[in-house]
Amino acid sequence: MSDNDSGRAPRKRVTIKDVAKAADVSPMTVSNVVNGKHQFVSERTRKAVEREIARLNYRVQHSARSLRVSRRRSVGMIFVDESPSFLVDHFNAHVVAGLCNVLSTADHTVTVQGIRAGQFNQSSIIRNFAVDGFCVVLSGPPDERNAILNSLINLDQPLVLMQEPIASPNQETCIVRQDDAGGGRLLADHLAARRVGTVLVVVPSQNWPAIDQRVAGLREGFLAAGGDVRIDVVHAETEEFDSARAAVIGYLDRHPLPNAIVGGNDRFAIAAMSILLDRGIAVPERVKITGFNGFEQRRYARPLVTTVISSAYELGERAGQMLLTRFEEGRFPTRELVLPVYFELGETT
Amino acid sequence: MSDNDSGRAPRKRVTIKDVAKAADVSPMTVSNVVNGKHQFVSERTRKAVEREIARLNYRVQHSARSLRVSRRRSVGMIFVDESPSFLVDHFNAHVVAGLCNVLSTADHTVTVQGIRAGQFNQSSIIRNFAVDGFCVVLSGPPDERNAILNSLINLDQPLVLMQEPIASPNQETCIVRQDDAGGGRLLADHLAARRVGTVLVVVPSQNWPAIDQRVAGLREGFLAAGGDVRIDVVHAETEEFDSARAAVIGYLDRHPLPNAIVGGNDRFAIAAMSILLDRGIAVPERVKITGFNGFEQRRYARPLVTTVISSAYELGERAGQMLLTRFEEGRFPTRELVLPVYFELGETT
DNA sequence: CTGTTAGCGCGTTCAA
DNA sequence: TTGAACGCGCTAACAG
């Protein structure tokens, strides 16, 4: 392996000084080489320094550099979510992936954390993040979200709020979201054209602003389409598949079959559909079904659900870009960015 | 919002000194309060200091603290994966969630990064991680994995390797994995008992050690069960649903229908099943199907696939615990940890 | 219980 | 093109 690690004694950290000594130059020169300030270093010394860096296996000490330049090259990604498996949601997973990939290209690092709304203020976790900015997905009822938002703002760092329907409250915060309400309207138009008269909407009881927007858009769309549509909403206790199923079963036990079921996301749509199929109710003939998000998992269920496609990965990328330009240019390029969503016809309508 | 942010001038950073001055104590006392060393601080001064901390909105400067104590309280989670959406895989998502939750409880932070095998050594990204240890999921062919492993070892930091079948190469590295081979054997036993004579195994061409283990266990199991089973393996180009479908279609075009199809994970199993259903081939009557992992998404497809359950979340938790005790006690409690897997009967066998 | 001193490793500033 | 001095904010070690 490396040439001289016979013992397991913790080798002393190799510093810029050590490299300087070995290459017989000043520490400053090493620093210039490390940071690519080649204007200040002759080709020959640079080569020599680089050789010593490799030989000694030198790596910069980020805490020292950060302390000096007060820049961490790092952003914190926070999910306020009741579920411990906050990343299992595909939306979240895509956002993180997009964010990470954009930021790592610019040599930045992403620190992830899921946290329950109730613990947010107690927890020192967020305050302990050593980052230059945050990207946050909030959930929970409006007043709780607001309290968290205030804590975040008090951190006094660049902040990207994902999927928040509110306006950016100040210069230091920027909204990145998709047009969820528009998605709801697309679904309403589609269903209205199919003469749907009663709709069941299935959503988690955990309050996600994006899902609220979808439902609001749905209502709005039906209203605009004229016709007299009855919309019932049921709340599943948790985000889980069985929880959504239970909510639908509860509803169906007490109400006539609706003409359509709209899931707050594809998982909920598929859960609802599974019950209809269990009961031999034909989809889409007797009941139409639509979901929301359009991630790959939707392919597992048949018939394929009609949905509205979210660009979650791109949302993450955009958030990353926003933060990067905020870091480089001192301000966000825009206070709000809204990505479009796309209607995707499946076999369930 | 906060009481005095009239201007948008970047407020100067509040340091321990500022708090000390305001509370009329020495910086050291503030430090002791911040770090909970209450033995060294009287109740009264502590209260006073805490009041000033809150009033001035003081937060510790982690780079300074880290520089001083040479401890970052942070770990890096790395996925060597060809897919940019590395977190969309439920296994990975669960691992991250488990790791994050355990570590955040101990006031540690997790930095995530997905990286392509080919870029690993070029990239300065990993070297730039300011962390106390790494948790890594490797993929790719053995020699490539080995090269990466060596780079990682050269970082000279505590290292947890997830899902690697190898033995821990040194004191600083620890293996955390599940018994994938055992899972393969469970599946083989089950299928052998159902008199399966020909098996198609569908795996991604990207080389995941865990999947190799599953297949090896499967072979072993069939061998042990006696009988003369023919096992064919097809490789899907990517990890995607359609890619798996294409691989299965290609196989079926050239071979008679196997008695069973085993997916390297549930997604692959479900993709294979979708083709059989398209063609009106009865599952499980004509072809039996099994998957691997048992995450919730498996519920979307019907019939429900028989599978082997992975405890990915727990794997992440255990990795976190390993690292924490390594940090606190200077050594890993064990060099290898193997979690069991569980057979889960579905409707496809 | 509280204060003082010193220095972690780096990069900026300025002088050579 | 290179070097020396200094200090970023914090805490270990010790002195009071």
Side-chain angles (χ1 to χ4, degrees), chain A residues 1 13 41 43 46 53 154 164 176 210 212 214 216 226 252 259 265 272 279 292 294 296 299 334 336-337 343 345:
Chain A
M1 229 133 279
R13 162 150 224 105
V41 185
E43 176 84 5
R46 201 200 47 170
I53 284 177
N154 255 321
E164 276 295 310
V176 174
D212 293 347
R214 291 167 193 177
L252 292 183
N259 300 141
N265 58 37
R279 300 187 175 184
F292 220 107
E296 193 200 51
R299 304 282 309 279
T334 159
E336 178 170 49
L337 179 69
F343 178 78
L345 182 62

Coordinates of all heavy atoms in Angstrom, one line a residue, chain A residues 1 13 41 43 46 53 154 164 176 210 212 214 216 226 252 259 265 272 279 292 294 296 299 334 336-337 343 345:
Chain A
M1 N 0.8 -1.2 0.0 CA 0.0 0.0 0.0 C 0.9 1.3 0.0 O 1.8 1.4 -0.8 CB -0.9 0.0 1.2 CG -2.3 0.2 0.9 SD -3.4 -0.9 1.8 CE -3.3 -2.4 0.7
R13 N -0.5 14.5 11.6 CA -1.1 15.2 10.4 C 0.0 15.9 9.6 O 0.9 16.6 10.2 CB -2.1 16.2 10.9 CG -2.5 17.2 10.0 CD -3.9 17.7 10.2 NE -4.5 17.8 8.8 CZ -5.4 16.9 8.4 NH1 -5.8 15.9 9.1 NH2 -5.8 17.0 7.1
V41 N 3.5 31.1 -8.9 CA 4.5 30.0 -8.7 C 5.1 29.5 -10.0 O 4.4 29.4 -11.0 CB 3.7 28.7 -8.1 CG1 4.7 27.6 -7.7 CG2 2.9 29.1 -6.8
E43 N 6.7 27.2 -12.8 CA 6.4 25.8 -13.2 C 7.2 24.8 -12.4 O 6.7 23.8 -11.9 CB 6.8 25.7 -14.7 CG 6.6 24.3 -15.3 CD 5.2 24.0 -15.7 OE1 4.4 25.0 -15.7 OE2 4.9 22.9 -16.1
R46 N 6.3 24.5 -8.7 CA 5.0 23.9 -8.6 C 5.1 22.4 -8.7 O 4.6 21.6 -7.9 CB 4.1 24.4 -9.8 CG 2.7 24.2 -9.4 CD 1.8 24.2 -10.7 NE 2.4 23.4 -11.7 CZ 1.9 23.1 -12.9 NH1 0.7 23.6 -13.1 NH2 2.5 22.3 -13.7
I53 N 3.7 16.8 -2.2 CA 2.3 16.6 -1.7 C 1.8 15.2 -1.9 O 1.3 14.6 -1.0 CB 1.3 17.6 -2.5 CG1 1.5 19.0 -2.0 CG2 -0.1 17.1 -2.3 CD1 0.6 20.0 -2.8
N154 N -33.4 33.1 11.3 CA -32.5 33.6 12.4 C -31.1 33.1 12.3 O -30.2 33.6 12.8 CB -33.1 33.2 13.7 CG -33.7 34.5 14.4 OD1 -33.2 35.5 14.2 ND2 -34.8 34.3 15.0
E164 N -42.2 25.6 -1.1 CA -43.1 26.5 -0.2 C -43.9 27.4 -1.1 O -43.3 28.0 -2.0 CB -42.2 27.3 0.7 CG -41.8 26.6 2.0 CD -43.0 26.3 2.9 OE1 -43.8 27.2 3.1 OE2 -43.1 25.2 3.3
V176 N -37.7 27.7 -4.3 CA -37.7 26.9 -5.5 C -38.8 25.8 -5.4 O -38.8 25.0 -4.5 CB -36.3 26.1 -5.6 CG1 -36.3 25.2 -6.8 CG2 -35.2 27.2 -5.8
A210 N -46.9 21.2 -0.8 CA -47.1 20.8 -2.2 C -48.4 20.1 -2.4 O -49.1 20.3 -3.4 CB -45.9 19.9 -2.6
D212 N -51.1 20.2 -0.6 CA -52.2 21.2 -0.4 C -52.4 21.9 -1.7 O -53.5 22.2 -2.2 CB -51.8 22.3 0.7 CG -51.8 21.6 2.0 OD1 -52.2 20.5 2.2 OD2 -51.3 22.3 3.0
R214 N -51.7 20.9 -4.7 CA -52.3 20.0 -5.7 C -53.8 20.0 -5.6 O -54.5 20.1 -6.5 CB -51.7 18.6 -5.6 CG -50.2 18.6 -6.0 CD -49.5 17.3 -5.6 NE -48.1 17.5 -5.7 CZ -47.2 16.6 -5.4 NH1 -47.5 15.4 -4.9 NH2 -45.9 16.8 -5.6
A216 N -55.7 22.1 -4.0 CA -56.3 23.5 -4.3 C -56.4 23.6 -5.8 O -57.5 24.1 -6.3 CB -55.4 24.6 -3.7
G226 N -66.6 24.3 -14.9 CA -68.0 24.3 -14.8 C -68.4 22.9 -14.2 O -67.6 22.2 -13.6
L252 N -64.8 4.2 1.7 CA -65.7 3.4 0.8 C -66.8 2.7 1.6 O -67.9 2.4 1.1 CB -64.9 2.3 0.0 CG -64.0 2.9 -1.1 CD1 -63.3 1.8 -1.8 CD2 -64.8 3.8 -2.0
N259 N -66.5 8.6 -8.8 CA -66.1 8.3 -10.2 C -64.6 8.3 -10.4 O -64.1 7.8 -11.3 CB -66.7 9.4 -11.1 CG -68.2 9.5 -11.0 OD1 -68.8 10.5 -11.0 ND2 -68.9 8.3 -10.9
N265 N -50.1 11.6 -4.1 CA -48.9 11.2 -4.9 C -49.2 9.8 -5.4 O -50.3 9.2 -5.2 CB -47.7 11.2 -4.0 CG -47.8 10.3 -2.8 OD1 -48.4 9.2 -2.9 ND2 -47.2 10.8 -1.7
A272 N -54.9 3.2 -3.3 CA -56.4 3.2 -3.5 C -56.8 2.2 -4.6 O -57.7 1.5 -4.5 CB -56.8 4.6 -4.0
R279 N -61.5 -5.6 -4.8 CA -62.9 -5.8 -4.8 C -63.5 -6.0 -6.2 O -64.8 -5.9 -6.3 CB -63.6 -4.5 -4.2 CG -63.1 -4.3 -2.7 CD -63.8 -3.1 -2.1 NE -63.3 -3.0 -0.7 CZ -63.8 -2.2 0.2 NH1 -64.8 -1.4 -0.2 NH2 -63.4 -2.2 1.4
F292 N -49.7 11.5 -8.7 CA -48.9 12.7 -8.8 C -47.5 12.3 -8.5 O -47.2 11.6 -7.5 CB -49.4 13.7 -7.7 CG -49.4 15.1 -8.2 CD1 -50.6 15.8 -8.5 CD2 -48.2 15.8 -8.5 CE1 -50.6 17.1 -9.0 CE2 -48.2 17.1 -9.0 CZ -49.4 17.7 -9.3
G294 N -45.0 10.7 -10.8 CA -44.5 10.1 -12.0 C -43.1 9.5 -11.9 O -42.4 9.5 -12.8
E296 N -40.4 6.3 -11.1 CA -40.4 5.0 -11.7 C -41.2 4.0 -11.0 O -41.8 3.1 -11.7 CB -38.9 4.5 -11.8 CG -38.8 3.3 -12.7 CD -37.5 2.5 -12.5 OE1 -37.3 2.2 -11.3 OE2 -36.8 2.3 -13.5
R299 N -44.4 2.5 -12.3 CA -44.4 1.4 -13.3 C -44.8 0.0 -12.7 O -45.2 -0.9 -13.4 CB -43.1 1.3 -14.0 CG -42.6 2.6 -14.6 CD -43.3 2.9 -15.9 NE -43.2 1.8 -16.8 CZ -42.2 1.5 -17.6 NH1 -41.1 2.2 -17.6 NH2 -42.2 0.4 -18.3
T334 N -32.7 35.1 -8.4 CA -34.1 35.4 -8.4 C -34.7 35.0 -7.0 O -34.1 34.1 -6.4 CB -34.9 34.7 -9.5 OG1 -36.3 34.6 -9.1 CG2 -34.4 33.3 -9.7
E336 N -37.6 33.7 -6.5 CA -38.5 32.6 -6.7 C -38.3 31.9 -8.0 O -38.2 32.6 -9.0 CB -40.0 33.0 -6.5 CG -40.9 31.9 -6.7 CD -42.4 32.3 -6.3 OE1 -42.9 33.3 -6.8 OE2 -43.0 31.5 -5.6
L337 N -38.3 30.6 -8.0 CA -38.2 29.9 -9.2 C -39.3 28.8 -9.3 O -39.4 28.0 -8.3 CB -36.8 29.2 -9.3 CG -36.6 28.4 -10.5 CD1 -36.4 29.3 -11.8 CD2 -35.3 27.6 -10.3
F343 N -48.5 16.7 -17.6 CA -49.5 15.7 -17.5 C -49.0 14.5 -18.2 O -48.5 14.6 -19.3 CB -50.8 16.2 -18.2 CG -51.9 15.2 -18.2 CD1 -52.6 15.0 -17.1 CD2 -52.1 14.5 -19.3 CE1 -53.6 14.0 -17.1 CE2 -53.1 13.5 -19.3 CZ -53.9 13.3 -18.2
L345 N -50.5 10.8 -19.4 CA -51.7 9.9 -19.5 C -51.2 8.5 -19.2 O -50.2 8.0 -19.7 CB -52.3 10.0 -20.9 CG -53.5 9.1 -21.1 CD1 -54.6 9.5 -20.2 CD2 -54.0 9.2 -22.6

